[in-house]
Amino acid sequence: MTSTTPPATPSVAERLRAEYGAALTLGADCDLPDDLVVEIDQGAHLTLGDRVLIRRGSTIQVHRGATVAIGDDVAIGEHAFISAMAGIHIGNGAALSNMVDLHDHNHRPRTRANVPTGQLVPWASGFDAAPIIIEPGAILSNKVTVTGGVRIGANALIGANAVVSHSIAPDTIATGVPASARRTFDGAPAPREDRRSLIVGFFGTSIMEHLEAVNAQMTTQANLPEVGSKVTVEAWTPRGWVHRLSLSLRAAFPHATLEVRNHGEGGATSRDIASTVEGDRATSGTDYDLVFLGCGINDVWRRFQNRMSEAVDLAEYTQHMHTMLGQLSGYTRKIVVVSETPFGPIDDPGTVAEMNAELSRYNEAAAKAAAAHDALFLDMWAPFTAAARHLAPANTDDGAAGLWSDGVHLTELGDTVLLQQTEKLLAEHRIVEKLLDYPFLERDAALAAYGPMFTRFRPANN
């Protein structure tokens, strides 16, 4: 009589490798439950790093063309659900507690355009998608939901039952629906992978450009020139409210990379700036996250200087504003139209009053154009005139500084008023925070746009 040994039951890892082949990259020493559900569609790829721990009842769906990349030493609790149509990356050492839900996609609304036949099935309208990035060391507590487009920073701790619909900075505790930062802490060392980058553009006049002459010795505290000595101008350097805003944003969002492109031009009218906008797109092809657009003061000033060939009347100015906003809207996520600041004591009071009356009409036209193109409008007129009523002109005997250096260009104090109002607008609308999210795109467009983010997690032939 002979005895037979029953064949060994294949491990979960062996079963998954046999089923999905090259569509699956599975690291060493993973602890996977018997009831783990994995679905990998055509052209999709799932990567699990070394020592990944997944508890019972969890599901990983990788839809057509998408990528899910789970790093080394990641722990995933019971009944977690991970579903990707664009891409999801969970960094090394991150943890998802029980019943965490990561979905990088949403149903599109059932509009006539999305469902022209009126077909009554849930997927008829299609899907929008945007990646989810969870950086190393982040911890998501029980029943946390993360929506598409969100980046959760390294070491972040998300409280139980939170819904994370906007990105969370590293070293941050966030809770609530929607989740928001409660406090920050001194985070443990953790790699910041693929820093989020934003491109911010400025199109306007010298009030945006604001160049100053510099010599390195003038700013080197240990080697300042003697009082009364002479130095040579070595270069021009940006100053003013745009420069200070860029520093402020970099300080407020150190975990992101902000690339500032200042296209301000001294003496430019709306006619010149419209040409700059068009030329920038034609030569650089830059897609902007945030653009500030402001012009009009030179359009008016040239007429009062009797430089009529350069002056731009209100009708032409309005046309230029609509043209620029129409162009910028095609490749900019958020646009802020900045009103012109009023003229200061540049001429006799009667002439200045007439110039400001005319300039206010241009600002009104800019506000209407902004509304027509779904752009924000930053009204600087009211705060500027309110401050001017209480401040002496520049270079007065008592040393008090006014808002204007020459009636048009701004002093540091004038720049500060503009800076504060801009920061207030950005904070009230949470503009930068929202721009740090990845924008939703139609499913196939999302795969094309975000696919390069996940190339390194896929074999070269997959």
Side-chain angles (χ1 to χ4, degrees):
M1 182 175 180
T2 60
S3 62
T4 59
T5 302
T9 302
S11 68
V12 177
E14 291 171 334
R15 171 174 62 83
L16 293 174
R17 287 193 180 102
E19 184 173 359
Y20 291 112
L24 172 70
T25 300
L26 185 57
D29 300 322
C30 292
D31 186 350
L32 308 177
D34 292 337
D35 64 349
L36 175 66
V37 176
V38 172
E39 301 171 2
I40 307 175
D41 290 347
Q42 182 178 4
H45 192 84
L46 170 62
T47 292
L48 275 67
D50 297 336
R51 300 172 299 280
V52 172
L53 168 65
I54 302 178
R55 292 305 188 195
R56 64 180 181 178
S58 293
T59 298
I60 302 174
Q61 294 179 335
V62 197
H63 296 277
R64 170 180 53 84
T67 304
V68 170
I70 298 174
D72 298 338
D73 301 300
V74 170
I76 298 175
E78 296 180 1
H79 302 288
F81 202 106
I82 300 170
S83 182
M85 285 189 179
I88 295 174
H89 177 211
I90 303 173
N92 295 345
L96 279 59
S97 296
N98 299 333
M99 292 177 278
V100 167
D101 188 328
L102 309 182
H103 266 71
D104 74 347
H105 51 279
N106 291 327
H107 285 273
R108 303 177 80 192
R110 285 182 53 83
T111 63
R112 290 183 181 274
N114 290 339
V115 194
T117 64
Q119 185 182 15
L120 284 173
V121 294
W123 52 87
S125 59
F127 296 87
D128 288 327
I132 293 173
I133 307 295
I134 298 174
E135 293 185 3
I139 298 175
L140 281 60
S141 302
N142 288 342
K143 299 182 180 179
V144 166
T145 296
V146 181
T147 65
V150 164
R151 188 182 189 98
I152 297 177
N155 297 324
L157 173 60
I158 312 300
N161 299 299
V163 176
V164 187
S165 54
H166 290 294
S167 297
I168 302 297
D171 308 327
T172 298
I173 294 175
T175 63
V177 180
S180 59
R182 304 302 174 182
R183 66 179 179 89
T184 59
F185 55 87
D186 184 13
R192 267 55 169 170
E193 299 180 350
D194 302 328
R195 287 169 62 93
R196 187 76 171 96
S197 297
L198 300 180
I199 301 179
V200 185
F202 293 83
F203 295 89
T205 66
S206 57
I207 293 175
M208 284 189 180
E209 182 184 39
H210 199 133
L211 295 178
E212 288 185 4
V214 294
N215 176 290
Q217 193 178 357
M218 297 287 288
T219 56
T220 304
Q221 292 295 311
N223 189 32
L224 293 174
E226 295 291 334
V227 175
S229 63
K230 294 182 180 180
V231 296
T232 302
V233 173
E234 296 176 335
W236 302 100
T237 189
R239 287 293 184 265
W241 75 274
V242 170
H243 175 67
R244 294 169 66 187
L245 178 64
S246 67
L247 295 178
S248 176
L249 292 177
R250 287 179 175 125
F253 302 96
H255 54 286
T257 298
L258 284 99
E259 181 180 342
V260 175
R261 301 188 181 184
N262 189 344
H263 301 284
E265 180 182 350
T269 65
S270 61
R271 188 183 300 147
D272 302 316
I273 296 167
S275 178
T276 299
V277 170
E278 185 172 0
D280 173 67
R281 185 60 179 174
T283 56
S284 73
T286 302
D287 289 339
Y288 289 96
D289 295 286
L290 176 61
V291 159
F292 292 88
L293 173 64
C295 56
I297 196 165
N298 290 318
D299 299 48
V300 173
W301 194 14
R302 295 297 174 261
R303 180 163 69 83
F304 283 87
Q305 292 175 311
N306 203 30
R307 295 161 62 176
M308 303 308 293
S309 63
E310 301 172 57
V312 178
D313 64 26
L314 183 58
E316 183 184 349
Y317 169 83
T318 302
Q319 179 182 349
H320 289 316
M321 288 298 298
H322 281 285
T323 298
M324 288 187 287
L325 288 168
Q327 292 172 334
L328 289 166
S329 296
Y331 49 87
T332 304
R333 294 172 62 192
K334 198 66 182 179
I335 302 172
V336 178
V337 176
V338 184
S339 83
E340 293 288 49
T341 53
F343 290 101
I346 193 174
D347 209 320
D348 66 84
T351 301
V352 172
E354 185 180 353
M355 294 167 68
N356 278 332
E358 184 70 2
L359 184 56
S360 67
R361 296 173 60 218
Y362 283 64
N363 280 340
E364 290 172 4
K368 292 179 181 177
H373 293 272
D374 196 29
L376 291 174
F377 183 71
L378 175 57
D379 182 7
M380 285 305 307
W381 197 272
F384 226 79
T385 54
R389 282 197 299 270
H390 301 286
L391 295 169
N395 302 318
T396 55
D397 292 340
D398 64 2
L403 302 178
W404 298 271
S405 60
D406 57 8
V408 176
H409 302 97
L410 307 180
T411 63
E412 287 188 346
L413 184 58
D415 276 326
T416 301
V417 175
L418 220 167
L419 172 67
Q420 289 181 340
Q421 294 300 315
T422 306
E423 290 179 327
K424 180 181 177 182
L425 179 82
L426 293 176
E428 286 179 348
H429 293 272
R430 300 186 70 246
I431 290 173
V432 178
E433 290 89 341
K434 293 176 181 178
L435 289 175
L436 289 173
D437 299 339
Y438 297 96
F440 275 96
L441 302 172
E442 186 277 328
R443 177 182 183 174
D444 289 331
L447 285 172
Y450 299 121
M453 293 174 55
F454 297 92
T455 301
R456 62 194 171 104
F457 303 113
R458 302 170 65 112
N461 60 348
N462 183 265

